[in-house]
């Protein structure tokens, strides 16, 4: 038998390994829950830093807790953007809608250091607990660009996750509501 004929079965089997694989993952994105209103003012001018996240949340996959409180990674439910970026974007959008200022943006969207405050966010928890509530525990501060150091303030909330046909949808809705509550607290300090 000729040696090159022995390669034909190998080549044919390798072709089946190179078949396209269908991506069945679902991408999720955080969104503002506040009604859109046109922002007309240029004050306050605030930059929103990316949220500092614990390592278990700083990933592409969504993370939940089971009944025993153990973390579960969802390989088929992914964030459409990094979670820290999404949080900054939604907080900025919520603050623009609450204050009417068009000058509240994630820090990456500022071309120059043309803002009066920098909002810093440090998240400790932002996921469902075993009892079906979305827990947001964080600290934040609105640091003036010119002026002294401001003390961090803590924020805690628990939002019941409403049952839906797609359980992750209820969780994302609760996350959006928690970010709205946080933005309302921050807005009072600006």
């Amino acid at each position: 038998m000729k040696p090159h004929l022995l390669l034909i079965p190998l080549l044919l089997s390798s072709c089946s390994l190179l078949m396209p694989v269908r991506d069945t993952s679902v991408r999720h994105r955080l969104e503002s829950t506040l009604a859109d209103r046109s922002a007309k003012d240029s004050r306050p001018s605030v930059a929103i830093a990316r949220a500092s996240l614990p390592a278990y949340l700083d990933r592409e996959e969504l993370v939940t807790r089971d009944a025993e409180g153990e973390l579960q990674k969802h390989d088929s439910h992914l964030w459409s953007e990094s979670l820290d970026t999404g949080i900054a974007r939604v907080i900025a959008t919520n603050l623009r809608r609450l204050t009417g200022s068009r000058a509240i943006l994630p820090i990456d969207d500022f071309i120059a250091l043309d803002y009066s405050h920098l909002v810093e966010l440090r998240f400790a928890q932002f996921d469902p607990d075993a009892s079906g509530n979305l827990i947001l525990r964080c600290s934040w501060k609105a640091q003036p660009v010119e002026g002294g150091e401001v003390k961090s303030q803590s924020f805690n909330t628990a939002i019941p996750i409403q049952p839906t046909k797609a359980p992750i949808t209820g969780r994302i809705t609760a996350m959006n509501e928690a970010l709205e509550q946080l933005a309302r607290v921050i807005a009072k300090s600006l």
Side-chain angles (χ1 to χ4, degrees), residues 12 16 57-58 72 78 88 99 103 106 127 160-161 163 179:
L12 290 175
S16 66
L57 288 176
D58 193 13
Q72 303 293 318
L78 309 172
T99 65
D127 59 280
I161 298 174
L179 291 175

Side-chain angles (χ1 to χ4, degrees), residues 107-179:
I107 195 162
D108 295 338
D109 292 350
F110 275 92
I111 296 171
L113 299 177
D114 191 22
Y115 47 86
S116 60
H117 290 79
L118 173 66
V119 173
E120 299 173 11
L121 304 162
R122 183 171 303 279
F123 280 50
Q125 184 177 358
F126 194 35
D127 59 280
D129 65 7
S131 65
N133 291 313
L134 185 282
I135 306 298
L136 170 54
R137 288 186 312 109
C138 69
S139 62
W140 67 274
K141 66 179 176 177
Q143 180 65 45
V145 173
E146 295 179 8
E149 184 72 19
V150 175
K151 291 175 81 173
S152 292
Q153 299 182 42
S154 63
F155 177 82
N156 298 300
T157 190
I159 307 289
I161 298 174
Q162 300 302 319
T164 61
K165 289 181 183 177
I168 298 294
T169 303
R171 177 211 172 149
I172 302 297
T173 300
M175 293 175 86
N176 291 332
E177 290 174 22
L179 291 175

Side-chain angles (χ1 to χ4, degrees), residues 9-188:
L10 179 64
L11 289 173
L12 290 175
S13 66
S14 68
C15 288
S16 66
L17 296 174
L18 300 175
M19 298 292 290
V21 176
R22 186 168 182 246
D23 183 9
T24 60
S25 59
V26 178
R27 302 263 176 194
H28 300 278
R29 181 177 158 108
L30 296 171
E31 296 293 342
S32 174
T33 56
L34 294 168
D36 195 7
R37 72 177 209 188
S38 60
K40 297 180 179 163
D41 295 329
S42 59
R43 293 285 177 238
S45 178
V46 179
I48 311 299
R50 287 184 179 195
S52 172
L53 299 173
Y56 78 94
L57 288 176
D58 193 13
R59 60 182 62 247
E60 186 179 22
E61 302 88 4
L62 273 74
V63 176
T64 57
R65 293 178 193 270
D66 63 16
E68 290 79 39
E70 292 184 25
L71 295 173
Q72 303 293 318
K73 183 177 71 160
H74 296 271
D75 293 327
S76 63
H77 290 279
L78 309 172
W79 290 113
S80 62
E81 62 189 333
S82 64
L83 185 56
D84 59 349
T85 300
I87 290 169
R89 179 182 50 76
V90 171
I91 291 291
T93 301
N94 285 341
L95 289 174
R96 275 195 310 274
R97 291 176 180 178
L98 289 167
T99 65
S101 173
R102 65 180 186 276
I104 301 176
L105 301 167
I107 195 162
D108 295 338
D109 292 350
F110 275 92
I111 296 171
L113 299 177
D114 191 22
Y115 47 86
S116 60
H117 290 79
L118 173 66
V119 173
E120 299 173 11
L121 304 162
R122 183 171 303 279
F123 280 50
Q125 184 177 358
F126 194 35
D127 59 280
D129 65 7
S131 65
N133 291 313
L134 185 282
I135 306 298
L136 170 54
R137 288 186 312 109
C138 69
S139 62
W140 67 274
K141 66 179 176 177
Q143 180 65 45
V145 173
E146 295 179 8
E149 184 72 19
V150 175
K151 291 175 81 173
S152 292
Q153 299 182 42
S154 63
F155 177 82
N156 298 300
T157 190
I159 307 289
I161 298 174
Q162 300 302 319
T164 61
K165 289 181 183 177
I168 298 294
T169 303
R171 177 211 172 149
I172 302 297
T173 300
M175 293 175 86
N176 291 332
E177 290 174 22
L179 291 175
E180 177 187 335
Q181 289 182 11
L182 175 59
R184 287 185 182 281
V185 171
I186 295 170
K188 291 177 184 175

